[in-house]
């Protein structure tokens, strides 16, 4: 075993040391990382000061990268393999807290999983800390496999086969951002996603929840929304949550299919700069199936 693992939480999340991600990986090392990823869902690699190029090269081991569309319709600081998790403008200066890009970014403080609103959702995200704040700005992760396991059997039965509709316009309207251009709405129409699924690679069943989930398909909107809210509240109890306090050089990889995450508030006059690459989930294409809408129901 080349890498060393140290547990960060009783059910998921590990610290990984013994590997330099800036260099080409020796034979067999990625297989060890992948096995740890399948088992623990969140991997923290401290002390990895990566360039954007090195981050892309390591990320591609997990699969093809998404390109980040320009959701907020403003000039971007990073090349389009990256999602900019920072409070900087395209010139690298602190954003005005009133800027619409700041408002857009605040949506990341709601519990979510990345790209659940896309027809091809995301397998995992990799977030590299370049500048961090002294206070606040942690990222929290919730273990949706442990949360599923802890549900009462009757609830598990009820959820089996249910689909939720996910859309980015929905989640951003919740955080007070209404600046979507119609091109994004057309490019990213709402998609159905199963609320529960089984993953053969880990042998685990998981909830799949996010701020992007708007309602349950085939149920009255209010009822479905209440169910989703109740599940998010259940799954984000302290016992299912790992809180990551960032140091410069941390790279955190998380499985978007069986965890949720959220950023915690911080003083927006302090620079906080993290660069994210996002890997597409080309392995489990079930979510592409059209949602079966029961006869006589509309949502
Ligand atoms: C992300 C994300 C929140 C934060 O990187 O995808 O939602 O501010 N981050 O840490
Ligand atoms: Mn995110």
């Amino acid at each position: 075993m080349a890498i060393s693992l140290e547990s960060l939480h009783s059910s998921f999340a590990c610290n990984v040391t013994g590997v330099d991600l800036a260099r080409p990986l020796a034979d067999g090392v990625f297989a060890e990382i992948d096995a740890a990823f399948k088992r623990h869902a969140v991997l923290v690699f401290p002390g990895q000061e990566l360039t954007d190029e090195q981050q892309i090269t390591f990320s591609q081991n997990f699969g093809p990268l998404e390109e980040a569309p320009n959701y907020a319709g403003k000039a971007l600081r990073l090349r389009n393999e990256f999602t900019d998790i920072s409070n900087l403008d395209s010139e690298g200066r602190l954003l005005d807290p009133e800027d619409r890009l700041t408002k857009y970014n605040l949506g990341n403080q709601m519990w979510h999983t990345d790209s659940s609103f896309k027809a091809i959702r995301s397998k995992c995200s990799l977030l590299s800390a370049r500048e961090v704040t002294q206070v606040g700005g942690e990222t929290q992760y919730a273990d949706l496999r442990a949360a599923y396991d802890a549900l009462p059997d009757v609830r598990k039965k009820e959820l089996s086969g249910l689909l939720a509709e996910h859309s980015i316009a929905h989640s951003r309207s919740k955080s007070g951002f209404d600046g979507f251009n119609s091109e994004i709405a057309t490019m990213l129409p709402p998609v159905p996603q199963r609320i529960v699924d089984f993953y053969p690679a880990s042998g685990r069943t998981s909830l799949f929840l996010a701020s992007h989930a708007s309602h349950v398909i085939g149920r009255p909107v209010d009822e479905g929304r209440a169910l989703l809210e109740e599940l998010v509240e259940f799954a984000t109890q302290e016992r299912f949550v790992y809180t990551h306090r960032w140091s410069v050089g941390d790279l955190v990889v998380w499985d978007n299919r069986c965890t949720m995450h959220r950023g915690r508030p911080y003083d927006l006059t302090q620079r906080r700069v993290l660069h994210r690459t996002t890997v597409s989930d080309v392995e489990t294409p079930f979510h592409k199936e059209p949602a079966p809408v029961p006869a006589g129901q509309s949502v």
Side-chain angles (χ1 to χ4, degrees):
M1 188 87 171
I3 59 171
S4 302
L5 301 177
E6 181 203 338
S7 178
L8 293 167
H9 182 274
S10 57
S11 71
F12 74 143
C14 266
N15 216 40
V16 186
T17 52
V19 58
D20 179 357
L21 302 180
R23 307 166 127 252
L25 299 179
D27 281 355
V29 173
F30 185 73
E32 287 183 23
I33 292 173
D34 196 38
F37 169 77
K38 285 173 180 145
R39 175 133 195 234
H40 304 288
V42 176
L43 301 180
V44 177
F45 297 84
Q48 308 281 350
E49 301 212 357
L50 303 179
T51 63
D52 285 353
E53 205 56 58
Q54 289 164 339
Q55 182 172 344
I56 287 175
T57 303
F58 175 63
S59 301
Q60 284 169 335
N61 284 298
F62 288 93
L65 299 191
E66 284 186 1
E67 292 195 354
N70 189 348
Y71 298 115
K74 299 236 347 180
L76 299 180
R77 192 173 66 85
L78 302 176
R79 47 194 274 195
N80 68 356
E81 291 92 339
F82 284 92
T83 299
D84 190 0
I85 305 293
S86 80
N87 53 350
L88 304 185
D89 67 13
S90 59
E91 308 293 320
R93 292 174 303 226
L94 271 178
L95 273 172
D96 187 320
E98 290 308 312
D99 194 285
R100 52 196 287 244
L101 197 48
T102 308
K103 296 229 157 70
Y104 179 82
N105 291 341
L106 285 177
N108 284 332
Q109 296 186 3
M110 290 184 292
W111 283 108
H112 68 283
T113 196
D114 298 329
S115 299
S116 69
F117 50 85
K118 291 188 181 166
I120 297 188
R121 63 180 182 170
S122 162
K123 173 183 179 181
C124 61
S125 295
L126 300 92
L127 189 58
S128 162
R130 311 296 172 91
E131 295 179 54
V132 302
T133 51
Q134 291 305 309
V135 180
E138 301 88 351
T139 304
Q140 293 188 306
Y141 297 90
D143 182 351
L144 299 187
R145 303 188 295 202
Y148 177 80
D149 290 346
L151 284 173
D153 283 346
V154 353
R155 197 25 54 113
K156 287 182 182 160
K157 278 208 190 80
E158 180 200 349
L159 297 177
S160 159
L162 282 188
L163 296 163
E165 184 173 293
H166 291 234
S167 95
I168 182 76
H170 171 73
S171 54
R172 274 353 189 218
S173 70
K174 281 202 279 187
S175 70
F177 180 81
D178 55 7
F180 266 107
N181 53 45
S182 54
E183 208 181 299
I184 293 290
T186 316
M187 219 167 80
L188 293 167
V191 296
Q193 303 282 10
R194 286 188 190 165
I195 295 176
V196 170
D197 223 295
F198 171 73
Y199 297 89
S202 62
R204 301 283 304 271
T205 301
S206 182
L207 291 166
F208 187 65
L209 301 168
S211 57
H212 313 301
S214 146
H215 56 271
V216 176
I217 293 171
R219 285 197 181 186
V221 169
D222 288 353
E223 202 182 284
R225 201 156 281 172
L227 172 62
L228 292 167
E229 277 167 18
E230 186 191 317
L231 290 172
V232 169
E233 199 175 309
F234 179 83
T236 55
Q237 294 171 74
E238 221 178 297
R239 63 184 162 136
F240 301 128
V241 171
Y242 164 65
T243 300
H244 187 66
R245 280 170 230 294
W246 292 97
S247 298
V248 170
D250 287 348
L251 178 82
V252 179
V253 185
W254 64 86
D255 192 328
N256 278 312
R257 301 163 302 186
C258 63
T259 63
M260 276 197 292
H261 61 276
R262 68 171 179 182
R264 302 302 289 147
Y266 64 100
D267 175 355
L268 290 169
T269 67
Q270 304 297 305
R271 290 168 68 95
R272 178 176 186 265
V273 184
L274 301 103
H275 292 191
R276 193 185 94 206
T277 37
T278 314
V279 176
S280 283
D281 182 19
V282 288
E283 293 163 16
T284 49
F286 62 78
H287 48 282
K288 279 196 240 161
E289 290 168 16
V293 179
Q297 298 243 26
S298 62
V299 287

